[in-house]
């Protein structure tokens, strides 16, 4: 049975209960009015103390969302409604996620994977933020908009702390002692803080850097508060909104073209690896110094190598002779098209465009490759070891660069066309669209009641709405994504770890751009006051710390998970101290 069917059945059972329940109000039972109760005329009446429900009740009436949705003025009643509506939002997020995966299964990652999927993933959060600022009067919106900010901050913090750390714990593998890279599928060191961990590719580092850049609109909107200026706050919101939307469009375009960029980078890395392999092979076959004292190719040695490769002795190297050379070199680290490699080498060397390479072109081409190896950052200590150190360093560096780019197999060509091999693509397409539509409808229908329930619960318990939405709402809107990421990380490979963490960074980026754009638009259009300095500071600190952490390293030992876990309570404590001790809010 598909995983979504139990959710659908529960949803269908839950709806009649919600619609049958009308407004729920309560009356305080206390000992102050004993005359209201019936006595037997013999014994004096005392109200049992356990019936005093004053801390959890209120005599105030509640306002039904849409005029018919259930509501209550009690804390326990609103807690129940938060759980119910939260589950419905979780259901919406699940349908959106499953529908997106089905759509991606039959369509390429281009527009679908780069544009629609990230937006659909952030849709429940964006919907909650939208309704938190649109409902009621300006005063009501100003009060409820903190629910949206709490959700925005809570989602970002939860993704980068609890979920990030959990993915490290469940996805850890043994780290090699030489280069500290995770060994796929090998987990024999238990919970060694430094001997086990997770490795990712270079694209994950790029995703983390983009996430760091995405906090720029937060900084802009905070500039008036930073400068202690009361004027220009409305203008700062507008500028931040424009920049946020511009960055959102740029990020979506990057996601659309990222597969093409990745293919080009992978092809370039493979070509560099071929260059380093040929240089290393020629250096090993050379009789004498490969380079002169000034670092240039030794012409006498080059001539001997040229004649050794020139099998027909016509003083020109043909494509077939180059292919024979490449086939004789063992490229164990990568798999590539030998004919394509020959074409690229011929393009580098054949300046006369006669489809052959003479001695001067051969020496000139080797010189260009040597210069490229020097630009790679090789450090040469002395002339005697110049050749070995230079070429070996270049070879190791190109091999590492290729490994960081991801899997060994080339990235397959994918487009927004139906992928062959998918059974019944039309039915899958219809199913995906229906799931996306159902998820969107559920999110749109129950976002406003959830915000009202959070606001009513806050009034009944005197707990600030920010903390309720910071802790509770992300569990509903991000639970499906969190479970999926953690399960995916358990496969314990560099590839799956890279995809897992890239999705986490991408989700945070969409929060910082799409959800913030919605939030800023509400604040600007409705003329609300931007008073979220502590919340913005928390988002900034967590994104910068975790983003900087992930931007410049590709291996994360197990101890790094503790840093992520500690950031969650730190974030809550920081907001509380800044707002209620220093009075920032």
């Amino acid at each position: 049975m598909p995983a979504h069917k139990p959710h659908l059945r529960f949803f269908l059972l839950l709806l009649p209960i919600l619609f049958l329940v009308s407004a729920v109000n309560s009356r305080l039972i206390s000992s102050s009015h004993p005359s209201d109760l019936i006595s037997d005329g013999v014994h004096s009446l005392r109200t049992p103390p356990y019936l005093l429900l004053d801390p959890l009740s209120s005599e105030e009436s509640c306002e039904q969302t849409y005029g018919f949705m259930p509501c209550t003025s009690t804390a326990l009643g609103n807690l129940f409604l938060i759980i119910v509506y939260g589950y419905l939002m979780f259901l919406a997020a699940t349908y959106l996620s499953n529908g997106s995966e089905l759509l991606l299964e039959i369509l390429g990652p281009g527009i679908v994977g780069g544009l629609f999927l990230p937006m659909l993933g952030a849709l429940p959060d964006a919907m909650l933020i939208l309704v938190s600022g649109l409902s009621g009067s300006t005063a009501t919106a100003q009060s409820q908009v903190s629910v949206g900010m709490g959700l925005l901050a809570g989602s970002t913090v939860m993704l980068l702390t609890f979920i990030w750390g959990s993915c490290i714990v469940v996805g850890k593998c043994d780290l090699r002692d030489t280069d500290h890279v995770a060994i796929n599928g090998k987990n024999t060191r238990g919970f060694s803080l430094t001997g086990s961990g997770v490795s990712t590719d270079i694209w994950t580092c790029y995703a983390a850097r983009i996430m760091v850049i995405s906090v720029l609109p937060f900084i802009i909107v905070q500039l008036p508060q930073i400068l202690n200026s009361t004027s220009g706050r409305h203008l700062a919101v507008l500028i931040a909104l424009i920049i946020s939307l511009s960055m959102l469009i740029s990020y979506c375009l990057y996601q659309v073209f990222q597969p093409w960029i990745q293919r080009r980078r992978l092809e370039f890395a493979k070509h560099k690896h071929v260059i380093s392999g040929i240089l290393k092979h020629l250096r090993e076959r050379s009789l004498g110094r490969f380079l002169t004292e000034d670092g240039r190719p030794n012409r006498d040695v080059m001539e001997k190598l040229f004649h050794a490769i020139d099998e027909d002795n016509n003083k020109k190297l043909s494509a077939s002779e180059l292919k024979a050379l490449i086939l004789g070199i063992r490229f164990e680290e990568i798999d590539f098209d030998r004919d394509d490699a020959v074409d690229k080498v011929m393009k580098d060397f054949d300046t006369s465009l006669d489809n052959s390479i003479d001695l001067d072109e051969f020496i000139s081409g080797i010189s260009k490759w040597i210069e490229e190896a020097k630009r790679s950052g090789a450090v040469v200590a002395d002339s005697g070891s110049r050749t070995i150190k230079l070429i070996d360093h270049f070879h190791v560096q190109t091999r590492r660069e290729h490994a960081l780019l991801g899997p060994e197999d080339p990235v397959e060509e994918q487009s927004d066309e139906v992928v062959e091999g998918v059974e019944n693509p039309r039915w899958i397409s219809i199913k995906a669209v229906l799931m996306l539509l159902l998820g969107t409808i559920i999110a749109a229908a129950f976002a406003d009641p959830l915000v009202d329930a959070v606001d009513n619960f806050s009034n009944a318990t005197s707990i600030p709405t920010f903390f309720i939405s910071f802790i509770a709402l992300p569990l509903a809107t991000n639970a499906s994504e969190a479970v999926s990421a953690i399960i995916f990380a358990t496969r314990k490979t560099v590839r799956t770890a890279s995809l897992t963490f890239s999705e986490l960074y991408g989700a945070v980026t969409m929060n910082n751009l799409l959800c913030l754009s919605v939030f800023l638009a509400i604040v600007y259009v409705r003329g609300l006051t931007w008073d979220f300095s502590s919340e913005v500071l928390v988002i900034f600190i967590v994104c910068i710390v975790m983003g900087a952490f992930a931007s410049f390293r590709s291996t994360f030992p197990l101890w790094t998970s503790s840093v992520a876990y500690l950031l969650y309570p730190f974030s809550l404590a920081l907001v509380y101290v800044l707002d209620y001790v220093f009075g920032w809010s």
Side-chain angles (χ1 to χ4, degrees), residues 177-237:
D177 296 329
T178 54
D179 53 6
H180 300 288
V181 175
I183 305 173
N184 289 343
K186 186 177 181 181
N187 184 26
T188 61
R189 297 180 180 178
F191 289 90
S192 173
L193 295 179
T194 57
S196 62
V198 169
S199 292
T200 59
D201 58 27
I202 192 65
W203 301 104
T204 310
C205 296
Y206 294 159
R209 294 171 190 174
I210 293 173
M211 179 188 70
V212 172
I213 297 173
S214 69
V215 301
L216 180 61
F218 285 103
I219 300 175
I220 294 174
V221 77
Q222 280 297 124
L223 282 178
Q225 283 87 340
I226 295 174
L227 300 175
N228 198 22
S229 172
T230 56
S231 61
R233 294 192 176 189
H234 204 55
L235 179 61
V237 171

Side-chain angles (χ1 to χ4, degrees), residues 338-386:
R338 264 58 178 176
D339 292 329
D340 181 65
V342 170
D343 292 339
K344 286 184 169 62
V345 173
M346 187 68 75
K347 185 177 180 180
D348 285 349
F349 282 58
D350 183 20
T351 57
S352 61
L353 303 179
D354 59 353
N355 293 324
S356 62
I357 302 172
D358 59 27
L359 178 60
D360 291 334
E361 289 175 332
F362 180 75
I363 296 175
S364 176
I366 293 294
S367 299
K368 288 193 298 185
W369 283 3
I370 293 295
E371 290 300 320
E372 186 172 346
K374 290 179 180 179
R375 288 194 298 269
S376 69
V379 178
V380 182
D382 56 82
S383 59
S385 61
R386 181 183 299 273

Side-chain angles (χ1 to χ4, degrees), residues 58-59 98 115 120 126 152 170 246 264 299 364-365 425 447 459 464 512 516 519 532 553 560 566 580:
S58 172
E59 295 185 0
N98 292 340
L115 184 60
L120 289 173
L152 178 58
V170 302
S246 301
R264 294 296 301 271
R299 187 175 181 87
S364 176
N459 293 333
N512 292 346
L516 179 63
F519 195 90
F532 305 103
R553 63 183 304 161
T560 58
L566 289 175
Y580 298 98

Side-chain angles (χ1 to χ4, degrees), residues 220-288:
I220 294 174
V221 77
Q222 280 297 124
L223 282 178
Q225 283 87 340
I226 295 174
L227 300 175
N228 198 22
S229 172
T230 56
S231 61
R233 294 192 176 189
H234 204 55
L235 179 61
V237 171
L238 177 60
I239 295 174
L241 174 60
I242 295 173
I243 293 178
S244 181
L245 289 174
S246 301
M247 293 178 67
L248 175 62
I249 295 172
S250 301
Y251 177 69
C252 290
L253 290 176
Y254 169 77
Q255 289 292 90
V256 169
F257 292 105
Q258 198 264 352
W260 176 81
I261 297 172
Q262 186 172 352
R263 285 194 296 271
R264 294 296 301 271
R265 284 290 306 274
L266 193 58
E267 290 173 1
F268 180 69
K270 285 185 176 183
H271 181 51
K272 285 182 65 177
H273 196 67
V274 170
I275 292 174
S276 68
I278 293 176
L279 287 177
K280 185 177 181 181
H281 179 74
L282 294 178
R283 189 259 300 168
E284 292 172 348
R285 291 182 58 183
S286 63
L287 299 176

Side-chain angles (χ1 to χ4, degrees), residues 235-475:
L235 179 61
V237 171
L238 177 60
I239 295 174
L241 174 60
I242 295 173
I243 293 178
S244 181
L245 289 174
S246 301
M247 293 178 67
L248 175 62
I249 295 172
S250 301
Y251 177 69
C252 290
L253 290 176
Y254 169 77
Q255 289 292 90
V256 169
F257 292 105
Q258 198 264 352
W260 176 81
I261 297 172
Q262 186 172 352
R263 285 194 296 271
R264 294 296 301 271
R265 284 290 306 274
L266 193 58
E267 290 173 1
F268 180 69
K270 285 185 176 183
H271 181 51
K272 285 182 65 177
H273 196 67
V274 170
I275 292 174
S276 68
I278 293 176
L279 287 177
K280 185 177 181 181
H281 179 74
L282 294 178
R283 189 259 300 168
E284 292 172 348
R285 291 182 58 183
S286 63
L287 299 176
R289 286 187 176 180
F290 195 71
L291 300 179
T292 60
E293 293 293 334
D294 58 357
R296 297 180 179 276
N298 189 324
R299 187 175 181 87
D300 293 336
V301 174
M302 291 297 106
E303 288 183 6
K304 294 177 182 178
L305 290 173
F306 179 85
H307 293 308
I309 301 171
D310 183 18
E311 296 179 351
D312 56 7
N313 296 319
N314 65 345
K315 298 183 180 181
K316 289 182 179 292
L317 300 182
S318 62
S320 60
E321 290 170 332
L322 284 178
K323 186 174 182 179
L325 171 66
I326 292 175
L327 289 174
I329 303 174
R330 296 184 61 187
F331 294 95
E332 298 178 353
E333 297 86 357
I334 63 174
D335 182 23
F336 61 93
D337 186 349
R338 264 58 178 176
D339 292 329
D340 181 65
V342 170
D343 292 339
K344 286 184 169 62
V345 173
M346 187 68 75
K347 185 177 180 180
D348 285 349
F349 282 58
D350 183 20
T351 57
S352 61
L353 303 179
D354 59 353
N355 293 324
S356 62
I357 302 172
D358 59 27
L359 178 60
D360 291 334
E361 289 175 332
F362 180 75
I363 296 175
S364 176
I366 293 294
S367 299
K368 288 193 298 185
W369 283 3
I370 293 295
E371 290 300 320
E372 186 172 346
K374 290 179 180 179
R375 288 194 298 269
S376 69
V379 178
V380 182
D382 56 82
S383 59
S385 61
R386 181 183 299 273
T387 303
I388 296 176
K389 287 192 175 184
L390 180 67
I391 296 179
D392 284 353
H393 176 89
F394 184 55
H395 184 70
V396 171
Q397 190 178 58
T398 54
R399 183 175 59 185
R400 175 175 174 79
E401 179 181 344
H402 178 269
L404 286 174
L405 286 174
E408 298 297 328
D409 54 314
V411 180
E412 297 180 356
E413 291 283 343
Q414 291 178 309
S415 63
D416 289 331
E417 299 177 355
V418 176
V419 179
E420 296 182 0
V422 178
E423 296 183 3
N424 202 351
R426 176 174 294 182
W427 163 242
I428 293 179
S429 300
I430 295 174
K431 184 178 179 181
V433 171
L434 290 176
M435 294 181 73
L436 292 174
L437 184 62
L438 181 59
T440 303
I441 292 174
I442 295 175
F446 294 101
D448 198 12
L450 177 57
V451 171
D452 289 341
V454 170
D455 195 44
N456 292 335
F457 182 78
S458 174
N459 293 333
T461 59
S462 299
I463 300 175
T465 54
F466 171 83
F467 291 102
I468 301 172
S469 55
F470 184 95
I471 298 173
L473 296 191
L475 295 176

